[in-house]
Amino acid sequence: MALPETDLRRIRLWARGRVPEHLWDELKVEADVSDRHVDIVEVRPPWDGVGEHTRFPIARLRYTMSTGQWAIYWRDRNLRFHEYKRKRPTKNVQALLGHIETSGDPIFWG
């Protein structure tokens, strides 16, 4: 069973709306989808204009199929993800996206 398509659309639209379109050559927020989770990443061009864009993980949204719930995970300095205990898992992925965006917790956006 795959991740819910409706939720994936919500996540992608949310990520796309984080940065105004006229700034996309400098910064984007994207959703990297895998089988059980979605990573929210900042994408920036190389500082010297040479090479690949950097993809910096901000948060992970993990889906549990048995419960139909999403949970937030935060990334540590070693690029490992840990469950974020300040927001309980929910079936409403939009509530988690709203928390990442407006909580003011520097664990996500520094």
Side-chain angles (χ1 to χ4, degrees), residues 2-72:
L3 300 175
E5 202 54 48
T6 303
D7 288 344
L8 291 178
R9 276 194 297 278
R10 281 190 183 107
I11 295 166
R12 287 181 177 125
L13 283 171
W14 176 86
R16 184 181 175 126
R18 289 283 304 151
V19 177
E21 191 172 346
H22 70 278
L23 296 175
W24 285 357
D25 342 349
E26 299 173 33
L27 172 67
K28 283 185 179 181
V29 175
E30 295 181 351
D32 288 346
V33 178
S34 75
D35 291 341
R36 293 178 21 146
H37 65 265
V38 178
D39 289 341
I40 306 297
V41 295
E42 278 187 354
V43 181
R44 295 181 183 267
W47 64 271
D48 59 359
V50 178
E52 299 291 318
H53 283 64
T54 58
R55 302 183 69 77
F56 187 76
I58 302 298
R60 175 171 285 173
L61 297 170
R62 185 172 179 193
Y63 184 71
T64 303
M65 290 182 212
S66 62
T67 63
Q69 292 188 326
W70 290 92
I72 302 175

